[in-house]
Amino acid sequence: MPRKPNNSRQTRALLAAFLEQAQMWRHGYDLSKETGLKSGTLYPLLMRLSEQGLLESRWQEPERSGLPPRHVYRLTATGLTLAREQELEAVAAERTGALA
Amino acid sequence: MNAAPSRFRRWAVALARHAAWVLPSAPSSWAQAMRHELDYIADDRAALCWAFGCTLASYKARLMRWPRLSPRVPWRHLATSGALMLLIGLALQEHAASQTEPPRPAFDKTPCDPADVSPEIRARRCDPCGAKIAAEVIDHPAQGPDTSCVDRTAPTPPVPKRQ
């Protein structure tokens, strides 16, 4: 049976982190600290989700001078739907596990 | 206060540059994003770890964009090739093991069945046939050599002339 796409533990953790502050733009390093994902895992995931149209990104101007602009990310409407579905699935799975 | 970047920071910057170089041209904004993020990490060692991860991410992205390297196909091909090579190796080994017995002499299996000889003489001659045939040739040279069960490729002994 083929594996469901975007269903790995790391992807689910990332989508859950985005879902917590769905309307906010998030930085890579903040996401790394929140999810515990290293940059070697985080950036391939961000690239893939962005290619699939689940994430949107833009450059944010720095708050302090002398620093470079930062790349920031946010879920698209499709990404938001997927993240919510996965959250519901996770809750259902937890309930099933608790009952069993 | 020492404003010079530490050794870890310099390594981190070098790694981030390498990551940007590894990434193909299309997603170069990602390399820039990773590189810029480095400047927001205060701890130098954490920055080095971050840059190392970015380099790995760049290599992953580079491999994924290589047309013949999709994530699953190469492993399937490699596994199939490995299994085939193993099977061929085992077959060759078995074949080689069966070849270790030395070849038997050609006359060993030669049927000893002279046509115009009575059954008694045939039994006496042919069990065993090699040495007795030679003795008979010497005892009765007039009959000529019976070459029905000797190696035909071997040179025949000279027949003495009749007086």
Side-chain angles (χ1 to χ4, degrees):
Chain A
M1 184 180 162
R3 208 179 66 174
K4 202 175 166 183
N6 299 322
N7 202 31
S8 68
R9 186 175 56 80
Q10 293 89 345
T11 312
R12 279 189 275 118
L14 185 60
L15 288 174
F18 273 118
L19 194 60
E20 277 184 19
Q21 296 169 321
Q23 298 306 315
M24 283 188 66
W25 292 93
R26 311 292 304 274
H27 306 118
Y29 189 53
D30 298 340
L31 286 167
S32 172
K33 282 196 289 187
E34 190 175 332
T35 57
L37 298 174
K38 304 287 181 196
S39 56
T41 308
L42 177 70
Y43 274 99
L45 279 181
L46 288 174
M47 287 182 205
R48 200 182 70 211
L49 293 176
S50 186
E51 278 174 8
Q52 290 173 355
L54 301 172
L55 276 186
E56 55 182 335
S57 60
R58 69 176 176 92
W59 289 100
Q60 189 183 54
E61 286 305 309
E63 294 166 2
R64 284 185 294 154
S65 61
L67 286 173
R70 277 179 116 170
H71 216 210
V72 287
Y73 316 94
R74 191 171 69 174
L75 286 174
T76 59
T78 319
L80 204 59
T81 310
L82 178 74
R84 283 185 181 139
E85 280 175 8
Q86 289 202 348
E87 192 186 31
L88 287 174
E89 280 176 16
V91 170
E94 273 181 22
R95 280 184 189 161
T96 312
L99 288 173
Chain B
M1 184 181 162
N2 187 10
S6 74
R7 189 175 47 184
F8 293 119
R9 177 67 62 173
R10 276 185 274 126
W11 286 349
V13 171
L15 270 177
R17 276 193 199 134
H18 180 70
W21 178 77
V22 167
L23 264 183
S25 57
S28 59
S29 67
W30 287 98
Q32 211 177 355
M34 290 188 268
R35 166 70 189 85
H36 286 188
E37 205 64 27
L38 204 61
D39 292 339
Y40 290 88
I41 303 173
D43 183 27
D44 290 348
R45 290 185 186 215
L48 181 60
C49 289
W50 180 265
F52 185 71
C54 292
T55 311
L56 285 181
S58 300
Y59 274 105
K60 276 185 200 171
R62 179 77 182 234
L63 286 175
M64 296 295 278
R65 274 167 175 76
W66 206 5
R68 291 189 179 184
L69 275 182
S70 70
R72 291 182 189 175
V73 169
W75 298 111
R76 200 181 300 157
H77 280 298
L78 281 176
T80 312
S81 308
L84 273 175
M85 285 172 71
L86 187 68
L87 281 174
I88 291 168
L90 285 172
L92 283 174
Q93 193 181 14
E94 196 174 336
H95 181 68
S98 69
Q99 292 292 317
T100 52
E101 191 180 347
R104 303 177 75 177
F107 57 82
D108 199 20
K109 289 277 185 182
T110 308
C112 186
D113 189 19
D116 52 351
V117 174
S118 69
E120 291 174 15
I121 295 171
R122 187 182 302 168
R124 191 162 56 85
R125 273 182 169 180
C126 299
D127 188 24
C129 58
K132 286 189 178 180
I133 287 168
E136 279 185 18
V137 168
I138 294 166
D139 288 348
H140 309 285
Q143 291 179 356
D146 182 8
T147 56
S148 58
C149 60
V150 298
D151 187 4
R152 291 171 195 276
T153 59
T156 51
V159 179
K161 288 181 183 177
R162 286 191 175 183
Q163 296 276 328

